[in-house]
């Protein structure tokens, strides 16, 4: 994590901006005279807005941020009004889970709105907010989104200089075979089971089990990806609870030191999220403990209960991906590797055409797409190369595939620079080499008769 590449210091900048944005939201709420519950809600809303809005264009990010209240406010009202009616509240929560995951079919915007809706229901359970507090919560969330929007899009518009890469299009499918639909069913089953078992453990803190099951399904597709993510979440939670026992409990909710450490946790969440899910969960767990300290309810038994609920959520998620519409790791791996190879084929074909004199041909877009696909291949192969994976042969094969695709990416980048050189077109050997690569890749990805 500490030596992971950070070109342009983008991770560092976005992490520092998140601290400023969340701090601005909480400060604005405090200056407005809101209660502690509303101020915490404002901070969490700002954190979610900065973390989940990942559209590739700045204008799209502004629009998604502006749409967040449309997803969050109805859920806030639903969660507070049903807070005293457990059966209706539980049913509504499960429906929000399904809608929030299903919304991912509409890309980054649907993904962000779905997460924001779910987390607004979760926050109400976390803070035990009542219907009478709803107007104040609305004002706090609106003020928070405005504050973090000013920080993100006016004061520190990092994306204007370093636009985030567009995510590769999801794997195809229709009906229950569509990844988002299938995952919505899986996540709903997992969260419903986590809700039932979590309430058997605690009638007050059951929502941690539901939250764990929900977040495990974020950015995962296959059975292996989900199981590895669940393991990492539990590991991060265990380490975070130890940190909470050593740091959060001795503070006894002291406002100044707690606020400073929460800022450190916000930085840690953003800085570690792209490279280590376990370290991110450590920061999340410690931040939750610090917030409980502010609310005056933190104790060692509460942290132990947090671990128990997390384990329940992870187990329910694991059972859901195994028993409900399962998708094997092999199937997902094969699909993403095939797409990466097709991208290599297209890039090589465009380079060959450019070298043959076609000025309209351009391999550069395919090279950029290949980088995104390689990131997705690594994510799909992560379960096989995980240190705890018992399949030695498959682990070695997966590492070999990653190395070969990395080599392809390096060569494709070289082809892009060569194709851009007007003098390169005079060397017929380059064009002939590209044609041989095309033929080799075509033979590799074409099913045997």
């Amino acid at each position: 994590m500490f030596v992971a590449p950070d070109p342009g210091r983008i991770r560092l900048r976005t992490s520092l901006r998140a601290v400023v944005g969340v701090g601005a939201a909480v400060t604005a709420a405090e200056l407005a005279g809101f209660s502690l519950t509303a101020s915490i809600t404002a901070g969490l809303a700002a954190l979610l807005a900065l973390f989940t809005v990942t559209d590739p264009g700045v204008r799209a990010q502004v629009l998604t941020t502006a749409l967040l209240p449309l997803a969050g406010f109805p859920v806030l009202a639903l969660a507070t009004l049903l807070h005293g009616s457990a059966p209706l509240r539980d049913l509504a929560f499960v429906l929000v889970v399904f809608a929030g995951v299903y919304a991912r079919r509409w890309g980054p915007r649907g993904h962000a709105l779905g997460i924001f809706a779910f987390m607004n229901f979760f926050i109400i359970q976390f803070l035990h907010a009542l219907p009478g507090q709803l107007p104040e919560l609305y004002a706090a969330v609106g003020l928070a989104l405005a504050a973090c929007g000013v920080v993100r899009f006016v004061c520190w518009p990092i994306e204007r200089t370093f636009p985030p890469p567009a995510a590769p299009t999801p794997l195809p499918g229709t009906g229950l075979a569509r990844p988002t639909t299938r995952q919505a069913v899986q996540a709903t089953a997992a969260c419903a089971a986590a809700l039932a078992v979590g309430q058997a453990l605690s009638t007050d803190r059951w929502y941690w089990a539901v939250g764990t099951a929900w977040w495990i399904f974020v950015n995962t597709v296959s059975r292996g990806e989900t199981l590895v993510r669940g393991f990492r979440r539990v590991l991060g939670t265990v380490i975070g609870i130890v940190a909470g026992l050593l740091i959060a409990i001795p503070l006894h909710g002291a406002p100044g030191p707690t606020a400073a450490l929460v800022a450190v946790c916000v930085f840690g969440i953003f800085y570690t999220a792209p490279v280590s899910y376990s370290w991110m969960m450590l920061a999340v767990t410690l931040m939750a403990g610090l917030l409980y300290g502010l609310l005056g309810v933190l104790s060692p038994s509460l942290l132990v209960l947090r671990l128990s609920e997390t384990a329940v959520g992870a187990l329910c998620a694991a059972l859901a991906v195994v028993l409900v519409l399962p998708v094997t790791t092999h199937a997902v791996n094969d699909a993403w590797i095939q797409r990466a190879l097709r991208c290599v084929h297209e890039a090589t074909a465009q380079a060959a055409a450019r070298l043959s004199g076609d000025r309209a041909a351009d391999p550069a877009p395919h090279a950029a797409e290949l980088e995104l696909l390689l990131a997705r291949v690594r994510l799909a192969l992560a379960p096989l190369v995980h240190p705890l994976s018992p399949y030695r042969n498959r682990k070695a094969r997966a590492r070999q595939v990653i190395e070969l695709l990395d080599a392809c990416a390096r060569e494709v980048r070289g082809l892009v620079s060569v194709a851009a050189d007007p003098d390169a077109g005079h060397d017929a050997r380059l064009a002939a080499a590209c044609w041989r690569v095309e033929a080799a890749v075509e033979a590799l990805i074409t099913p045997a008769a």
Side-chain angles (χ1 to χ4, degrees), residues 78-157:
L78 187 66
T80 53
L81 294 175
L82 297 180
H83 190 70
S85 177
L88 292 177
R89 176 202 63 200
D90 297 346
L91 176 61
F93 205 178
V94 171
L95 292 176
V96 169
V97 168
F98 179 85
V101 179
Y102 189 78
R104 295 173 190 170
R105 69 181 299 175
W106 290 288
R109 179 166 296 147
H111 185 78
L113 295 178
I115 291 179
F116 197 74
F118 171 85
M119 286 303 297
N120 272 269
F121 207 110
F122 181 92
I123 289 170
I124 295 302
Q125 313 312 312
F126 176 74
L127 296 174
H128 295 283
L130 300 174
Q133 297 173 282
L134 188 58
E136 186 183 40
L137 295 179
Y138 276 170
V141 171
L143 188 60
L145 293 179
C148 74
V150 169
V151 171
R152 179 173 191 172
F153 303 119
V154 179
C155 300
W156 205 343

Side-chain angles (χ1 to χ4, degrees), residues 3-350:
V3 297
D6 187 16
R9 299 291 186 267
I10 297 175
R11 274 197 302 134
L12 178 62
R13 296 181 188 189
T14 54
S15 302
L16 291 173
R17 185 181 65 181
V19 175
V20 175
V22 173
V26 174
T27 301
E30 287 292 310
L31 292 176
F34 293 153
S35 65
L36 177 61
T37 297
S39 295
I40 293 177
T41 302
L44 293 175
L47 187 151
L48 288 168
L50 292 166
F51 190 82
T52 63
V53 177
T54 57
D55 303 81
V58 175
R59 290 185 179 180
Q61 291 175 1
V62 173
L63 179 57
T64 300
T65 303
L67 291 175
L68 289 177
L70 296 181
F73 283 0
V75 174
L76 274 178
L78 187 66
T80 53
L81 294 175
L82 297 180
H83 190 70
S85 177
L88 292 177
R89 176 202 63 200
D90 297 346
L91 176 61
F93 205 178
V94 171
L95 292 176
V96 169
V97 168
F98 179 85
V101 179
Y102 189 78
R104 295 173 190 170
R105 69 181 299 175
W106 290 288
R109 179 166 296 147
H111 185 78
L113 295 178
I115 291 179
F116 197 74
F118 171 85
M119 286 303 297
N120 272 269
F121 207 110
F122 181 92
I123 289 170
I124 295 302
Q125 313 312 312
F126 176 74
L127 296 174
H128 295 283
L130 300 174
Q133 297 173 282
L134 188 58
E136 186 183 40
L137 295 179
Y138 276 170
V141 171
L143 188 60
L145 293 179
C148 74
V150 169
V151 171
R152 179 173 191 172
F153 303 119
V154 179
C155 300
W156 205 343
I158 298 172
E159 290 82 2
R160 296 188 187 278
T161 306
F162 303 98
T169 56
L171 298 176
T174 58
L176 291 177
R178 184 192 292 268
T180 50
T181 305
R182 182 187 64 252
Q183 197 174 64
V185 175
Q186 291 176 329
T188 302
C191 288
L195 189 151
V197 180
Q199 288 184 349
L201 288 178
S202 171
T203 56
D204 292 328
R205 310 296 177 188
W206 53 269
Y207 49 84
W208 283 117
V210 181
T212 296
W214 161 274
W215 280 101
I216 285 176
F217 281 96
V218 174
N219 295 328
T220 60
V221 177
S222 71
R223 182 169 56 199
E225 290 178 26
T226 307
L227 294 176
V228 168
R229 193 176 181 90
F231 168 79
R232 289 172 175 168
R233 188 175 184 94
V234 173
L235 176 62
T237 301
V238 170
I239 302 173
I241 286 173
V242 173
L245 291 171
L246 297 176
I247 298 173
I249 289 181
L251 285 179
H252 299 294
T258 298
L261 285 173
V262 167
V264 173
C265 290
V266 170
F267 177 88
I269 290 171
F270 281 78
Y271 193 73
T272 61
V275 293
S276 174
Y277 189 66
S278 295
W279 282 99
M280 187 195 79
M281 281 311 306
L282 185 159
V284 170
T285 303
L286 179 57
M287 185 180 73
L290 293 168
L291 294 179
Y292 275 132
L294 278 178
L295 295 170
V297 296
L298 182 62
S299 66
S301 61
L302 181 63
L303 293 178
V304 173
L305 179 61
R306 167 87 163 89
L307 177 59
S308 301
E309 296 285 358
T310 298
V312 166
L315 178 60
C316 290
L319 292 175
V321 295
V322 171
L323 301 176
V324 181
L325 304 175
V327 175
T328 64
T329 304
H330 173 75
V332 174
N333 291 345
D334 186 66
W336 285 113
I337 292 170
Q338 289 275 349
R339 284 186 61 175
L341 287 172
R342 289 191 178 92
C343 191
V344 172
H345 180 274
E346 291 299 321
T348 308
Q350 290 291 311

